[in-house]
Amino acid sequence: MNLANRRYIISGIIVFFGIIFTVRLFSLQVSSDHWKAKAAELTEERVLIYPSRGLIYDREGELLVANRAIYDLMAVPRKVQPFDTVAFSQLLKMDIHDLEDALNKAKKYSRYKASVIRKQIDPEDFARIAEQLHKYPGFYGQARTVRSYRRGVGAHVLGDYAEAGPSDIQKYPYYQSGDYIGKGGVERTYEEDLRGRKGMRYVLVDVRNNVQESLSEGRFDTSAVQGADLTLTLDADLQAYAEKLMQNKLGSVVAIEPATGEILSLVSSPTFDPNLLVGGKRGTNYKALQQDSLKPLYNRAIQGQYRPGSIFKMVQSLIALQSEAISPATRIPCNRGIIGCHGSHSYDDLKGAIIHSCNPYFHQVMKRMVEPGKNSSRFEDAHAGLDNWNQRIRRFGFGTNLNTDIPNVKTGNVPDAAYYDAIYGEKRWAYSTIYSLSIGEGELLINPLQMANLAAIIANRGWYMPPHVIQSIGTDGKPLAFRQPQFTGVDPEHFEVVVNAMQKVVEQTGGTARRARIEGVEVCGKTGTVQNDPLPDHSVFIAFAPKDDPKIAVSVYVEYSGYGGTWAAPIASLLIEKYLNDSIADPSKEQRILEAEFRGI
Amino acid sequence: MNATRRQDIRRNIDWVTIGLYAVLVLVGWTAIYSANYDPAQSEIFKFNADHGRQIIWIGVCAFIALILLNTEGEFFIRFSVISYALVLILLVLVLLIGKKVGGARSWFGVGSFGIQPSEFAKTTATLMLAWYVAQAGSRFKALKTRLTAALIIAFPAGLILLQPDAGTVLVFAGLVFALYREGLSGNILLFGFGAIILAVVAILTGASTLDYPLLGEQSGIFALLLGLILLGGLLIFGVRGFTLPRYRPKNYRFVLAVLIASLGFSYAVNYGVESVLKPHQRERIYVLFGMNQNPDADYNIRHAKAAIGSGGWTGKGYLNGPMTRYDFVPEQHTDFIFCTIGEEWGFFGSFFVVALFVVLILRIIALAERQRSQFSRVYGYGVASILFMHLLINVGMVLGIAPVIGIPLPFFSYGGSSLMGFTILIMIMLRLDAERFSVFR
Ligand SMILES: [Zn+2]
């Protein structure tokens, strides 16, 4: 072989490797985006700009919910140098194994990006940690915003603001791990208004994770939009007073301004200080509340579903008048053979029947509506009659969430024909099967908000605004949905007899709600007692006042307290008096309530 | 020296090579400038920064180039032996009194500048090799002469291995190309490639554990050894079936010899990697084959690949590569300088640089081939081989197809010694080439 030809072999080898390099360059740079993504992951970082969350005020402009700072301890594993883990865990008041676990998890996530080591350190604790932090390179504190509740009242209305869980993050792409979200009450309903909009800065970081410059001169950056402040319809003083009256009792209080549907106070008792669920102690406190047998986290005012008892007789009266099943003059004998009664009366007209809460009267009233005898089969008659009745009842908001802005309302139960068909079978039931509905018992379930709304309907003589807690969102005023009256289909004139009866219930000597009287105020009310064998009865009272220009409508439900007039009525009365007169004329009345205690079993 | 002769020299200088050299040095400098770019301090003549210092080195190199181009070629021939000896002494000295940088004792510290004798050893060894082969002439066919030539390469390479600087040793191995051109058996190259392939397979199989029918769980290397024996057996049957009987004994012997050598070699590589290498060295090899689980071990190469790979077709634009500018790439202005090109100029820029190198090396081979003197030809091939090995190892490393071995990319990597070494290497060749008509040796 001619040695000069070896030139071509050598040149060939060189060109061969040149081609290999070219192919390799092509596969790295052009044929896939893998390394582009990898480089972006390393060098680009999105810096979130969190707007401050909107504040929440009560109807008088008193600040209820403010923001305060709290700290997360972060670590960038690459910058962390060997340190005394024992001393550090003591400084953090954190279990050494938890600390090591957190660090390992951080390392696994990313060596050069920050991970949370310990969440929610209160400012006082963080100040102590910060003094020592220079000894532990790679660790730093990141301020976060949490809520601060100035009055410590209205926990169930305000809701919770806490870290978004995996399901929230999956459902709403806006949130990412570590973000906070409104978790109930107003915080949840108005989350999008309160949170504003996160801003995003796209930056380039160096290998030490220091921000170096904006990506593409900030072309993709968005600025943060501040969250809107909310003004609620709640009256903080009234709310605090109602919570105080309900102390050591189970139940609820709801007060509504009838003309507007504005919720003045909404109490579920036992309640808790919402500040318990903020900061470092949140976890422990939440667990304790969750395990409490009295269920303080449970919002009885909207989730408690109770049989309404006698207060339902007024609804029966109203729809019976409207459907002309009776007139105010209709008298019905108190025939205690079918259904029990109490008190000395025997042949009441409507007004008397309401005042005396005459059970046989309303048994007959409902029968006239549900089983009017239009059909020869009483089964078919009741089937059609009940559905007709159901439609009218629903217009009072029963069986619905009232379109309120408090989330997670339990709608209660207003049975219709299909409901009983499912239980007894078609044509296997008639009015005689379901007559307990007539006096607000049986399968009928209503929540306390709906009860208060009933008081508002009667106060308004036939209509209601969807009850709500929002007064205005930022500068936008009240959402339109809460300014549209809902009509029950019962004409105003039919209310006269009911309203007069309610006034008598409170004011007439021997009326069931004498304890609800207020000097100089015409209070209209109706008691109810819901049997609860073998435990003590639940006590119910709904009321509104003043009679001719109603300013407040109330429902009070006290579990296991016995007769409705004894406990529920005075609580409602005190609330009304406080709201209308701003003071209590008879302190002993207040004292009696504050000292009462009902815990059920 | 008379005027006409000097004019001849100037006319005969290969301006193509000078041009390629100049472009590479300039592009290299812009890459260094970018790797160190700081918008707040962007002056070019900032002599306390690397890109500023590199300007000084380029100036020094231009001066050296002028001197070398105006030096009689005869001088280099005469100087071969002396310079070779001098650099050998320096290589011994650096082991004794050199500065330890990054685990290797390869630097003489002179003020704030350092000098790396191994960068010059490449030139002197090539000169010495050229001188020896040229004066041996036809005796090069003798085994003794060839062994002497190998020793000329092995001496400085051995000293450099002690520093230790494995990359530069590999570069010396590249001088085999020059010897091949002069008549060394081609089998050397074939065996070389065969050995590399076998070594790769041995490392890959050796790192895995397999479940054998009789042996139980064992290193995968046994599978390779069994496979080789099987292949050998097949070849022997093949020989029986397809060759004439009189050639058979010779073929049998050959197959057996290759088989035994392969078995021994595979086992030795496996043993060397698993038992002799230190853990961090083993890790580097594993990283190359994608077998490593330790995130730190392949950190450098992953970042290098991300820098280059994120360049796309046209790159992110000059001074706009965050991977290289913000220190994600290790040693981004020296050994990993190619990442800057890849990230900021993309596929087109990277291809351009690789192509420039290939064209330069081919050009130098062309120059070598047109020499009438054997000295110049051997030297030329030596220059081409050294540039080629640097390109192969450095670019192979940053592209993740060669192990991480610290070795500069000629003209690009920051550093005076390296730039000076390559300048001297090439300029001597150009001067020898310029005299190709007037010298008969
Ligand atoms: Zn009666």
Side-chain angles (χ1 to χ4, degrees), chain A residues 334 336 341 345 358-360:
Chain A
C334 180
R336 302 186 183 187
C341 200
H345 58 274
C358 181
N359 291 339

